[in-house]
Amino acid sequence: MLYTALLFLSFFLAFRYIKLLRINTMSTWVMPIAYTIKVGVGFYFLYIYTAVYGNGTLSADAGAFMRESEILYKVFYSSPIDYFKLLIGIGNQESLVAQYLSETSHWDSGAQAIISDNRNILRVQSILHFVSRGDSANHVLFMCFISLIGIKQLYLGVKERSLLSEKYLFGFLVLLPSVLFWTSGILKEPFMILGLGLFIRGVMGKDSKQKKWIFVIIGSLFLLAFKPYVLFCIFPGLVFFGLYTVIPRNKTIFSFLILFLVGICITFIFKEQREKVVHLLSRKQYDFKNVGKGGLHAQSDSCFYFFKPEQISELIIEGDSVSIKKEMNVKIIMHGSIDEPINTNLLPTGEKWLIYFRNDKSDGFIETTMIDDSFGQLLQNIPEALLNSLFRPFFHDPGSWLKYPAMLEILFLYMFLVFAIIKRKPLGFRDKRLIWTIFIFVISLSLVIGWVTPVLGAIARYRLPAFIGILIIALMIIQPKQSNE
């Protein structure tokens, strides 16, 4: 407890007295106070995922990242060389994983992962174990420190395009509930907000051209390492940004038209790549649905057996192993593979398998239309995807009491956006170009999330960058009363 207090005080004073961490145009106490608020919410995050969802143990991704990063951290004391090999990603990774990380489930995402962002967060958290003493509260202090630096970069970019006073602008960015909650926990979101903040500062800020490129590149690398799908969803907006810049007249109409035509051409010319993307989204949706509906994954020698929730009562569960009482039809799943699951019959031979993953049905599970490897179905699911990712939860939706703060945030965000549109300032070429670019990013990200995610709690977390985009649009266009005086 004393160590945690001293660590908090160190970060608090760093924000107060280190010039590089302060916002020079605002009070020197703004950043320390913001950090204190974030730490308080971070500890509340620990309470939610320990006392409410974890039955006394830190649960969900945060708990997995803590446990598995500790396993990686302990490799250092067995073999410092092997630890650094795992940290950097060199050497024979398969043999190292088999030797040291066989008890982890988040290290290897297999063929589904374009970039292994899970590995990167485990690597960072393992480094923090050297100074955290294994206390999750201390990890929260570091995550809040990292994310607040990211919010500062976000602020420095947006303030150049907003007429809102600095204190209100910074307050909106810090206190948006999604930002405040998800970027204060032991998750990837603190690094995502750092990457997004640096990227937006590079695009929107008034730094030198050289610094702008540095911010964009570093921000892109953070997004690629910790939230690659967010970076990929920025690309359509960047294409629009370039088109809007070079098209001489009727910029908005022709930029959207060309972007749409380019999208159609790419879709039909690169048919094989299109089918791979659709299959990957289908598989992600399938896996998310299994997790959301609950079930049990048992690890065999070369695959996993997936038992449906209704089959669990017919299993023999002893500690961390499971066997079957009678013949059962189950699915064979290769972890991380994008191959279709295979149905098979298991006979009660007495063989036991290790319980790899077990989950009860999520409180926030919602039924979504399955893509089933169909490009046509993917297109038909667009309205459903946007509705789920941008507007849910609704009042009648399933979920715990935590859905009500999410509903209030949605209501506030869209009311503020409508108010900003009504009270908008005159928009020039640069503002329009950025607003439409952010809008395309919001739609792209919302589609990806809505297509594959059938759990409202996960949607609330994953859509964070989209909500930041909506907030930035409102902050850019609003014209406060004092601006007319």
Side-chain angles (χ1 to χ4, degrees):
M1 195 70 174
L2 177 60
Y3 181 76
T4 300
L6 291 174
L7 195 58
F8 167 77
L9 185 62
S10 299
F11 286 133
F12 182 91
L13 295 176
F15 279 119
R16 172 63 176 82
Y17 291 106
I18 298 177
K19 187 176 181 180
L20 188 64
L21 298 177
R22 299 199 306 251
I23 297 177
N24 295 329
T25 57
M26 299 175 70
S27 167
T28 55
W29 290 105
V30 167
M31 290 293 281
I33 292 173
Y35 180 69
T36 303
I37 294 172
K38 283 186 65 62
V39 168
V41 173
F43 289 164
Y44 180 65
F45 174 94
L46 292 180
Y47 167 77
I48 291 293
Y49 283 94
T50 300
V52 178
Y53 290 136
N55 296 319
T57 303
L58 187 61
S59 63
D61 281 346
F65 292 153
M66 278 296 295
R67 291 188 297 274
E68 297 187 17
S69 63
E70 185 177 12
I71 294 172
L72 177 59
Y73 155 73
K74 288 180 178 179
V75 174
F76 177 83
Y77 296 99
S78 298
S79 172
I81 293 177
D82 287 345
Y83 172 75
F84 284 110
K85 285 181 179 180
L86 289 166
L87 203 63
I88 302 172
I90 61 174
N92 189 333
Q93 293 290 296
E94 289 187 8
S95 64
L96 290 172
V97 170
Q99 182 177 355
Y100 297 109
L101 305 180
S102 60
E103 296 181 15
T104 65
S105 59
H106 284 63
W107 180 263
D108 189 8
S109 298
Q112 289 189 29
I114 300 172
I115 299 292
S116 187
D117 46 347
N118 279 342
R119 289 190 183 187
N120 291 329
I121 189 65
L122 291 176
R123 285 166 173 146
V124 172
Q125 297 298 335
S126 76
I127 294 172
L128 294 184
H129 273 284
F130 286 98
V131 292
S132 71
R133 298 183 178 181
D135 190 336
S136 57
N138 295 333
H139 285 252
V140 162
L141 296 181
F142 280 99
M143 294 298 98
C144 290
F145 179 81
I146 291 166
S147 61
L148 186 56
I149 292 175
I151 292 171
K152 177 192 170 184
Q153 307 310 311
L154 191 64
Y155 160 80
L156 291 174
V158 176
K159 83 181 185 76
E160 302 298 339
R161 304 289 179 181
S162 178
L163 297 178
L164 208 62
S165 69
E166 290 189 349
K167 62 181 180 180
Y168 288 121
L169 179 62
F170 186 72
F172 273 116
L173 294 173
V174 171
L175 299 176
L176 183 70
S178 288
V179 173
L180 191 57
F181 186 76
W182 296 114
T183 67
S184 299
I186 307 171
L187 300 168
K188 303 169 193 172
E189 274 65 23
F191 296 97
M192 182 278 296
I193 197 70
L194 177 59
L196 191 63
L198 289 167
F199 188 94
I200 288 177
R201 180 177 176 179
V203 173
M204 299 174 61
K206 287 190 175 181
D207 299 281
S208 66
K209 185 173 291 187
Q210 184 180 12
K211 282 187 175 180
K212 280 173 156 296
W213 275 109
I214 292 173
F215 289 138
V216 167
I217 292 171
I218 296 176
S220 298
L221 290 175
F222 269 107
L223 290 175
L224 186 64
F226 294 98
K227 285 285 183 177
Y229 69 88
V230 175
L231 180 62
F232 297 147
C233 289
I234 291 176
F235 289 156
L238 292 179
V239 173
F240 178 91
F241 186 93
L243 291 171
Y244 197 95
T245 302
V246 299
I247 290 175
R249 59 181 63 181
N250 294 323
K251 291 177 175 292
T252 302
I253 294 175
F254 282 112
S255 296
F256 271 111
L257 181 60
I258 293 174
L259 182 64
F260 178 71
L261 292 175
V262 168
I264 290 179
C265 290
I266 290 175
T267 296
F268 286 98
I269 293 174
F270 301 98
K271 185 177 179 180
E272 183 178 346
Q273 287 73 20
R274 181 195 75 193
E275 290 177 351
K276 286 182 179 179
V277 171
V278 173
H279 180 62
L280 179 61
L281 291 172
S282 297
R283 183 57 196 272
K284 285 286 187 183
Q285 183 191 44
Y286 175 84
D287 289 342
F288 254 122
K289 187 171 184 178
N290 280 344
V291 172
K293 292 186 72 172
L296 186 147
H297 288 76
Q299 184 172 359
S300 183
D301 292 335
S302 59
C303 65
F304 297 94
Y305 298 129
F306 175 70
F307 298 92
K308 297 177 182 179
E310 58 269 23
Q311 293 177 312
I312 293 179
S313 62
E314 300 175 350
L315 301 177
I316 302 173
I317 298 176
E318 299 173 340
D320 59 356
S321 66
V322 61
S323 57
I324 58 175
K325 300 178 182 178
K326 62 180 183 179
E327 182 177 353
M328 284 188 182
N329 182 268
V330 301
K331 291 186 180 295
I332 295 178
I333 298 175
M334 303 302 295
H335 176 57
S337 170
I338 60 175
D339 294 334
E340 287 292 329
I342 302 171
N343 287 313
T344 188
N345 283 326
L346 292 180
L347 299 175
T349 62
E351 183 180 0
K352 296 181 179 180
W353 305 286
L354 178 69
I355 296 176
Y356 182 79
F357 178 79
R358 180 181 179 180
N359 190 48
D360 296 327
K361 182 177 180 179
S362 171
D363 290 339
F365 177 78
I366 55 174
E367 290 292 345
T368 54
T369 305
M370 299 303 291
I371 300 170
D372 287 332
D373 290 329
S374 168
F375 179 64
Q377 188 62 57
L378 187 78
L379 297 180
Q380 291 181 47
N381 287 5
I382 286 176
E384 177 184 88
L386 293 177
L387 181 70
N388 289 345
S389 56
L390 290 174
F391 297 100
R392 298 182 82 160
F394 300 136
F395 188 81
H396 63 274
D397 277 334
S400 68
W401 61 269
L402 289 172
K403 74 177 183 180
Y404 298 111
M407 291 169 57
L408 290 174
E409 179 186 35
I410 293 170
L411 181 63
F412 160 78
L413 186 63
Y414 289 119
M415 285 180 62
F416 181 60
L417 178 62
V418 171
F419 178 78
I421 292 172
I422 295 172
K423 299 292 183 180
R424 67 185 180 277
K425 67 183 182 183
L427 299 174
F429 159 74
R430 292 185 176 181
D431 285 337
K432 289 180 181 179
R433 181 177 62 177
L434 282 169
I435 288 168
W436 283 118
T437 298
I438 296 170
F439 171 78
I440 292 171
F441 163 70
V442 169
I443 296 300
S444 301
L445 182 62
S446 300
L447 280 174
V448 172
I449 295 168
W451 272 327
V452 304
T453 316
V455 180
L456 293 175
I459 289 174
R461 173 183 163 192
Y462 297 153
R463 71 185 173 199
L464 169 59
F467 274 20
I468 292 174
I470 295 170
L471 178 62
I472 290 175
I473 291 174
L475 295 172
M476 284 180 62
I477 67 178
I478 192 169
Q479 179 167 269
K481 288 184 179 180
Q482 58 266 31
S483 299
N484 294 325
E485 296 177 356

